[in-house]
């Protein structure tokens, strides 16, 4: 994509469906990154996802690696940073002394709640101008695309 095409994007992006989806994904990621960075404490998308996944019961490093499709050393670095920030704690699993169990601290719960509120507001604003009929048409196709992409990740 040339710079001229990108600078013309605000007036309407012309491209294939795949190109539009990639551009939209990049733009949404950038906006989500900015929203989370402006929180107190500031979070990255990866940190927010880790906090969210731990809160939903995925409390081992192995489980987090599988969900994020990341290797253990990468995930461990991210978890270490959250522990250092006081947002997560490490403990021993109830079922195996060899398995680390992660949990949210009070500050971690507050950070997650703050992120949830900010992103819920953002997602509401994203679709506020779209008629409900159009939303109802788009949602099934996007859900199917998400499932297909997830299947491609799982196959790796």
């Amino acid at each position: 994509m040339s710079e001229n095409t990108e600078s013309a994007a605000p007036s309407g992006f012309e491209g294939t469906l795949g190109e539009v989806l990639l551009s939209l994904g990049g733009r949404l990621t950038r906006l989500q990154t900015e929203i989370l960075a402006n929180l107190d404490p500031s979070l990255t998308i990866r940190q927010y996802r880790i906090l969210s996944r731990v809160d939903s019961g995925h409390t081992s490093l192995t489980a987090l690696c599988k969900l994020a499709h990341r290797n253990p050393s990468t995930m461990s670095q991210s978890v270490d940073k959250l522990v250092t920030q006081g947002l997560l704690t490490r403990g021993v699993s109830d079922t195996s002394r060899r398995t680390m169990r992660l949990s949210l601290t009070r500050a971690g719960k507050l950070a997650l709640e703050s992120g949830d509120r900010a992103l819920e507001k953002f997602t509401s604003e994203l679709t506020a101008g779209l008629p409900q009929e159009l939303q109802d048409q788009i949602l099934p196709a996007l859900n199917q695309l998400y499932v297909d992409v997830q299947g491609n990740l799982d196959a790796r």
Side-chain angles (χ1 to χ4, degrees):
M1 198 175 352
S2 72
E3 257 185 37
N4 292 342
T5 305
E6 191 153 7
S7 65
S11 64
F13 185 84
E14 295 293 325
T16 66
L17 178 59
E19 290 170 337
V20 171
L21 288 171
L22 286 175
S23 294
L24 179 60
R27 183 159 295 173
L28 292 173
T29 299
R30 190 186 87 227
L31 292 169
Q32 184 180 16
T33 299
E34 290 173 4
I35 288 166
L36 293 172
N38 287 323
L39 298 176
D40 186 23
S42 174
L43 295 172
T44 65
I45 291 174
R46 182 179 295 169
Q47 290 172 327
Y48 171 77
R49 287 183 181 148
I50 290 170
L51 293 176
S52 179
R53 289 170 174 163
V54 169
D55 187 55
S56 66
H58 303 281
T59 60
S60 73
L61 195 60
T62 302
L64 293 175
C65 289
K66 286 180 184 176
L67 284 169
H69 301 279
R70 298 281 183 252
N71 66 46
S73 64
T74 300
M75 186 58 67
S76 185
Q77 289 174 343
S78 296
V79 166
D80 288 346
K81 196 169 206 175
L82 289 166
V83 169
T84 300
Q85 289 177 286
L87 302 178
L88 281 180
T89 59
R90 283 195 177 100
V92 177
S93 169
D94 297 334
T95 57
S96 170
R97 291 185 314 147
R98 294 174 51 196
T99 304
M100 174 182 42
R101 187 178 131 279
L102 301 167
S103 59
L104 294 175
T105 63
R106 178 165 162 65
K109 287 178 186 177
L110 293 173
L112 178 59
E113 289 169 3
S114 178
D116 286 343
R117 280 191 306 275
L119 293 177
E120 284 171 18
K121 181 178 184 271
F122 173 60
T123 57
S124 293
E125 292 168 354
L126 274 175
T127 58
L130 291 177
Q132 189 60 48
E133 182 179 315
L134 182 57
Q135 291 183 44
D136 293 343
Q137 291 172 353
I138 294 171
L139 185 58
L142 290 176
N143 279 331
Q144 184 61 52
L145 185 59
Y146 180 86
V147 168
D148 292 347
V149 169
Q150 185 63 37
N152 290 338
L153 284 173
D154 291 341
R156 289 183 181 181

